[in-house]
Amino acid sequence: MDPAQQAEDFEAERPRLVGLATRVLGDHAEAEDVVQQAWLRLHGTDTDIESLPAWLTTVTTRLCLDRLKSRTPVPHSEIEPTETAPDIADDVVMADTVGVALQAVIDRLSPGERVAFVLHDSFGFDFATIAAILGTTPAAARKLASRARGKVRGRGSERADWEVVDAFMAAAREGDFDSLLRLLAPDATITADAAAVASGTPERVDGRREIAEFFNGSAHAALAVLVDERPGAAWFHRGEARVLFDFDVVDGVVQGITFRAAPEVLERVTRREDTRRCS
């Protein structure tokens, strides 16, 4: 790549990289230093880079991980930076999960927990990508993020599943887009069974923002229900459930919603009278 063009492309990425590093490290000045190190690595490599944003994101995150490990000694399992990485910069979604008030708690997480939590909950990276950065498996990366999430929120502050479902449906009816975003996991999905698709529901919707846009200002005819003792919501017509919104709530946020309209499922749906809303 032409050096002048490389420098121009890097400067275009710098604000995003500094933002990412600041979230992970909790220190803006240190984040700027890390990003400058990423520039030096870019300037010194002769590798053919397919995606510059992805390469820079991976290198910056691993440099942050090194800084965190130097702060907190952990069993030796170093992750060597590589010159190739999955394209993880395409779908970065900023969120309000990590705030200044939580930084003291974030600082007590292990390096792996911290990186997995911030990348997933604040930037929407999938666990396969996080696993590639951490040198582990997607399942292990998911566990790291989940464990960190539990520490950040505190055992006593987690909402019950029914509270999450009711808060989500209330935000949908009221057109509260920001609340919908906060209640959805970054990699949330909507799926549907064949009967629901035949009745007009989408077959699949992927991503927090896309799901929030789909529900925003809608679901006025949906009522609180139980199905197999799980809290959910359902669209009723003439007193009968026609489409069930089957929620998968994980760690206090909606991980997925499945639209179900199969008769054998709908016959197990019962109205849930306790429809208190979360404040």
Side-chain angles (χ1 to χ4, degrees), residues 250-273:
V250 179
D251 293 324
V253 293
V254 177
Q255 187 68 50
I257 303 171
T258 303
F259 294 133
R260 303 187 190 279
E264 63 271 19
V265 174
L266 295 180
E267 67 184 14
R268 302 199 303 272
V269 171
T270 59
R271 288 283 303 277
R272 177 162 51 92
E273 297 302 326

Side-chain angles (χ1 to χ4, degrees), residues 32-45:
E32 289 184 324
D33 184 45
V34 162
V35 172
Q36 191 60 30
Q37 283 186 263
W39 160 248
L40 293 175
R41 290 202 178 187
L42 174 64
H43 187 64
T45 186

Side-chain angles (χ1 to χ4, degrees), residues 3-201:
Q5 184 63 52
Q6 184 182 70
E8 183 179 339
D9 291 345
F10 177 83
E11 289 305 317
E13 292 294 321
R14 184 188 289 274
R16 179 180 67 81
L17 297 172
V18 171
L20 184 152
T22 300
R23 289 291 184 104
V24 173
L25 296 172
D27 186 300
H28 184 75
E30 192 174 13
E32 289 184 324
D33 184 45
V34 162
V35 172
Q36 191 60 30
Q37 283 186 263
W39 160 248
L40 293 175
R41 290 202 178 187
L42 174 64
H43 187 64
T45 186
D46 56 3
T47 301
D48 184 20
I49 300 172
E50 293 185 10
S51 171
L52 181 62
W55 190 92
L56 288 171
T57 301
T58 299
V59 170
T60 299
T61 304
R62 286 176 171 169
L63 288 169
C64 288
L65 188 63
D66 289 342
R67 294 287 181 109
L68 293 174
K69 287 182 176 181
S70 69
R71 297 177 188 173
T72 309
V74 295
H76 184 73
S77 179
E78 294 299 321
I79 301 170
E80 294 297 331
T82 60
E83 300 296 335
T84 60
D87 192 349
I88 58 180
D90 291 341
D91 298 316
V92 172
V93 179
M94 291 296 291
D96 294 326
T97 307
V98 182
V100 174
L102 296 177
Q103 195 60 51
V105 181
I106 300 295
D107 287 343
R108 293 197 293 270
L109 300 177
S110 73
E113 289 172 344
R114 187 164 174 164
V115 168
F117 173 67
V118 171
L119 292 189
H120 182 264
D121 284 38
S122 287
F123 291 88
F125 291 176
D126 60 58
F127 287 113
T129 294
I130 296 170
I133 291 174
L134 293 176
T136 187
T137 65
R142 183 183 293 274
K143 286 183 180 179
L144 285 169
S146 178
R147 192 159 60 229
R149 197 177 298 118
K151 292 178 181 179
V152 168
R153 289 179 178 159
R155 177 173 290 182
S157 66
E158 292 184 6
R159 286 175 166 176
D161 288 359
W162 71 265
E163 292 181 294
V164 176
V165 171
D166 287 357
F168 182 89
M169 296 307 297
R173 285 189 291 270
E174 295 163 8
D176 187 347
F177 187 75
D178 289 340
S179 290
L180 287 172
L181 286 177
R182 286 194 293 271
L183 288 163
L184 286 159
D187 55 350
T189 59
I190 288 177
T191 55
D193 64 20
V197 172
S199 71
T201 72

Side-chain angles (χ1 to χ4, degrees), residues 194-233:
V197 172
S199 71
T201 72
E203 184 175 2
R204 187 178 184 92
V205 180
D206 291 302
R208 170 167 50 194
R209 182 166 295 275
E210 290 75 11
I211 294 174
E213 289 173 349
F214 176 80
F215 271 97
N216 195 34
S218 65
H220 292 282
L223 300 174
V225 301
L226 287 172
V227 58
D228 301 330
E229 301 304 317
R230 296 193 314 278

